[in-house]
Amino acid sequence: MDESANSDEFCMTATGAAALRQRSRPGIGFVYAALALAAIASAPALLAREVFGDDWTVYYIYWTEGSAGVARVLWESAHAGFAIPMTLFVWLLNDTPDVAARFAGLACHLVNGVLLYSVLSRSALTRMIAALVTALFLLSPFYAIRLTQNAVYDFFLLFYLLSYELSYSKVRALRWAAPFSLLFSLSLETLIALEPLRVVLAWSSSEHWRQKLARLVPFWLAVAAMIVLRLTILGKSGHYAGQYSFANDFTIIGNALYAHLMAFPRGLSYAYSHGFALLGRPVSAVLTLAAITVCALFSSTALWTPWVLNSRSTRNATFVLLMLGAAIALIGALPYALTGIYGDVTRGESRLLFPSQFGVLILMATIVQAIPGLRVRAAVAGGLIAIFAFSLAHDSKWLLYDGLFSSDMLRQVRAALLADPEPKVVKLQVENSHVFSFRSRCLGANDMNVAQMILRDENRERSFVYTDFCGDFTDPHFVVNGNCPVSYLETFPCPPRRETWRYRAAPGLPQPDEIGFVALLTAVLGNSLSATEGRGELMQLKDGEPAPLARAEYRPPCNRSGVRASAWLLALPAPACESAASEGR
């Protein structure tokens, strides 16, 4: 009898201890699930053959001028700190720098999830929403191009979050390093928008106000130093002088700010519509309902989250969190609005949402946890996480497809340019470009010409290709005035000859929703069977009527910088270049 009582007492004690530990880490199951989903959903895109516009410029400058050239260009563009990660990506895998950027970006992103949860868990004020904010951040649809060379955003966020962690270290040297970690992270200067979080975390501690102020001052000095540097020696210069100057029209500023903030509901709608397109609405709906059910069932254990309106103190804390989220969202949007630009989830400009999205996620998590009913809160959180995960997986697939499409198009364009030695300027019409291009991105001069310049036959004069939907033909600085850009940093006189070509999908190039993940990945990773043919149809338009284009092949020397990387990105069949031994023969 005594043994049975002792056993029951032990079980009750163990259960209570487990529950207590669970309450000390509310919602930790959401963090584990989001880490796994982010890694799984992003994995297919790691080997995509894809580079976005400005990233092409970094590669081109590195290949033609070396790391010193990259440092110069990024200094002139007021992003001097960007030279470190971007050069690192190219240096790590020179033949496939885009792949290095994706792996580094995903690794930084996952580590940032862990750091973010740790930072938010340090205060009783933010601990209530730490897990859900972290889970939504890991799967966020508001910043969708981390799997490009814009992995630098997550790279700098890593150092920003480290500035929090280091400030609580027991080692004095590490505490002193914290403001310097912040200063380096502010190479992405809009991370200043997250500083209200530092103030809230410091002020919610039990320290005396003098100690709180002393803890904050070094970081404020780092922020002030970066602002001064940004307005002086780190300001835009050279080619970038005067770029993104302040708008003088309050209507333009107001419209840009409104559009930036409206990215929140648009992002939710975008995640839902495109995420459910991945597997089809019936399957996606079933899986989402399954996620909701599982979260509801485990709402009292690993997925337990507190109701933030259960007392006067927590209601006050909720008000502070709502103000914090709104402040970060507004401060993150304002610098862009003042120059008349804004972030948009439907374009590559989703990167401009990177700072303000944290405010949005704090608002979203706080609102979810203000819902009464433990199971209802968990179910809503599970539904959001499922939709975000589907959206991330869809983006991963779309990025793979974009790489397949663009490499096919550029490979055929190259073969057509090689077949005719007369230099020309080609306007390329791409049918249904919004279907193929990742998040309807623009294919500008960088995308169309960098690889062509690296792989060209140097015994021939340069030809140039521009798409009809990016504005290069109408921008008065470029083709209109006879200036043909390659990377927008280097222009050449335009040849007088003008032609119009058309690229459109052929039956061999199905649309994104018509091809499976495995088949898509196989097609992307495999080299083309021919350097002169492809899956799509490239034709010349003469008086509006399509005419065939001749094709030719040329293998540049393998020792030319950037050749192997460009050949990989265009999926040229091996051998794509001529080695020194072959040239000797």
Side-chain angles (χ1 to χ4, degrees):
M1 185 71 178
D2 290 340
E3 290 181 2
S4 176
N6 289 338
S7 176
D8 290 342
E9 182 179 352
F10 173 78
C11 290
M12 292 176 64
T13 302
T15 303
L20 186 62
R21 286 195 301 271
Q22 196 62 58
R23 296 303 188 267
S24 68
R25 299 188 301 166
I28 188 64
F30 288 125
V31 178
Y32 293 147
L35 283 168
L37 288 171
I40 294 170
S42 301
L46 291 176
L47 298 178
R49 298 177 189 266
E50 187 52 86
V51 177
F52 282 2
D54 290 342
D55 299 351
W56 272 118
T57 297
V58 174
Y59 293 170
Y60 185 66
I61 296 299
Y62 183 85
W63 291 331
T64 56
E65 301 181 27
S67 56
V70 174
R72 174 187 57 80
V73 167
L74 292 173
W75 180 282
E76 291 179 351
S77 65
H79 288 303
F82 280 40
I84 295 173
M86 286 189 166
T87 303
L88 179 64
F89 297 156
V90 183
W91 176 78
L92 283 174
L93 293 174
N94 186 256
D95 290 343
T96 52
D98 53 314
V99 176
R102 291 190 183 92
F103 273 94
L106 181 58
C108 288
H109 184 61
L110 297 178
V111 172
N112 285 338
V114 176
L115 289 175
L116 181 62
Y117 179 74
S118 175
V119 168
L120 295 178
S121 297
R122 287 188 177 276
S123 169
L125 179 66
T126 54
R127 189 180 302 127
M128 300 185 296
I129 62 169
L132 192 51
V133 169
T134 301
L136 296 178
F137 161 75
L138 286 165
L139 301 168
S140 173
F142 301 105
Y143 166 57
I145 56 173
R146 65 176 50 94
L147 291 176
T148 70
Q149 187 130 341
N150 280 283
V152 293
Y153 282 54
D154 272 304
F155 177 85
F156 288 118
L157 179 62
L158 176 63
F159 285 89
Y160 181 84
L161 294 175
L162 276 176
S163 74
Y164 287 86
E165 289 293 291
L166 295 176
S167 66
Y168 293 100
S169 174
K170 295 180 180 179
V171 181
R172 178 179 295 181
L174 293 180
R175 291 198 302 272
W176 276 99
F180 294 98
S181 180
L182 171 65
L183 184 64
F184 177 64
S185 76
L186 294 183
S187 297
L188 178 60
E189 64 272 8
T190 50
L191 286 176
I192 292 173
L194 303 187
E195 281 302 282
L197 175 62
R198 193 185 306 275
V199 176
V200 168
L201 290 177
W203 234 254
S204 64
S205 69
S206 58
E207 296 176 325
H208 189 271
W209 70 268
R210 288 191 179 89
Q211 292 175 302
K212 296 175 182 178
L213 194 60
R215 185 181 292 276
L216 289 171
V217 165
F219 298 101
W220 290 349
L221 290 175
V223 170
M226 179 51 68
I227 292 174
V228 171
L229 289 171
R230 181 65 174 80
L231 295 176
T232 54
I233 63 173
L234 290 182
K236 292 183 181 293
S237 60
H239 172 81
Y240 296 94
Q243 185 186 46
Y244 300 144
S245 56
F246 289 112
N248 296 319
D249 191 332
F250 285 105
T251 302
I252 294 175
I253 294 173
N255 289 339
L257 181 61
Y258 176 77
H260 193 107
L261 296 177
M262 285 303 293
F264 168 45
R266 291 191 69 189
L268 290 178
S269 173
Y270 201 81
Y272 169 75
S273 60
H274 284 73
F276 271 42
L278 177 67
L279 302 174
R281 292 193 177 277
V283 175
S284 299
V286 169
L287 292 177
T288 302
L289 288 174
I292 290 172
T293 302
V294 169
C295 288
L297 290 175
F298 288 91
S299 59
S300 60
T301 54
L303 302 179
W304 178 84
T305 55
W307 183 37
V308 295
L309 300 178
N310 64 354
S311 67
R312 182 176 179 178
S313 62
T314 57
R315 285 195 292 272
N316 291 338
T318 300
F319 177 76
V320 173
L321 290 173
L322 292 174
M323 292 301 98
L324 173 64
I328 293 175
L330 183 61
I331 297 172
L334 197 57
Y336 298 113
L338 290 174
T339 61
I341 61 177
Y342 57 90
D344 190 335
V345 294
T346 65
R347 302 181 297 167
E349 283 77 1
S350 71
R351 71 184 187 278
L352 305 184
L353 300 170
F354 190 76
S356 64
Q357 72 159 325
F358 283 91
V360 169
L361 298 180
I362 288 173
L363 287 170
M364 189 183 299
T366 304
I367 291 170
V368 169
Q369 290 185 208
I371 298 173
L374 184 62
R375 295 187 187 279
V376 178
R377 285 198 303 277
V380 172
L384 279 174
I385 288 173
I387 291 171
F388 281 16
F390 284 138
S391 177
L392 183 58
H394 181 272
D395 282 339
S396 187
K397 181 180 179 182
W398 200 354
L399 195 67
L400 271 176
Y401 187 85
D402 185 304
L404 181 66
F405 148 75
S406 59
S407 63
D408 179 80
M409 178 181 65
L410 290 172
R411 187 172 60 250
Q412 292 196 58
V413 165
R414 173 176 179 265
L417 291 176
L418 288 169
D420 185 353
E422 184 178 347
K424 63 185 75 65
V425 179
V426 176
K427 176 189 286 188
L428 181 63
Q429 297 178 1
V430 183
E431 291 191 2
N432 297 320
S433 61
H434 64 284
V435 174
F436 301 104
S437 298
F438 180 73
R439 294 221 170 197
S440 305
R441 71 186 181 95
C442 171
L443 292 169
N446 302 338
D447 304 271
M448 300 304 302
N449 289 292
V450 167
Q452 309 292 356
M453 292 299 110
I454 295 297
L455 295 171
R456 77 184 186 91
D457 183 349
E458 293 186 331
N459 293 320
R460 297 183 179 185
E461 294 186 58
R462 294 177 177 85
S463 291
F464 304 89
V465 182
Y466 307 101
T467 59
D468 63 335
F469 58 92
C470 271
D472 294 314
F473 281 93
T474 57
D475 192 316
H477 297 96
F478 299 135
V479 181
V480 173
N481 280 343
N483 301 315
C484 280
V486 175
S487 66
Y488 296 118
L489 297 178
E490 187 175 33
T491 60
F492 300 90
C494 291
R497 182 176 170 184
R498 300 286 193 273
E499 291 185 2
T500 300
W501 298 357
R502 183 192 68 193
Y503 179 88
R504 66 180 181 182
L509 187 65
Q511 293 193 3
D513 295 338
E514 299 171 356
I515 186 170
F517 254 123
V518 175
L520 179 57
L521 191 59
T522 301
V524 168
L525 294 181
N527 283 335
S528 172
L529 297 177
S530 169
T532 60
E533 297 177 359
R535 296 178 173 85
E537 178 188 76
L538 181 69
M539 305 287 283
Q540 181 179 359
L541 295 181
K542 294 182 177 180
D543 298 324
E545 295 297 321
L549 282 163
R551 312 297 173 90
E553 184 178 359
Y554 166 72
R555 294 190 180 97
C558 293
N559 59 1
R560 186 192 301 171
S561 182
V563 163
R564 295 182 188 274
S566 298
W568 147 259
L569 287 164
L570 268 59
L572 291 173
C577 58
E578 292 288 347
S579 64
S582 299
E583 291 171 358
R585 292 194 298 271

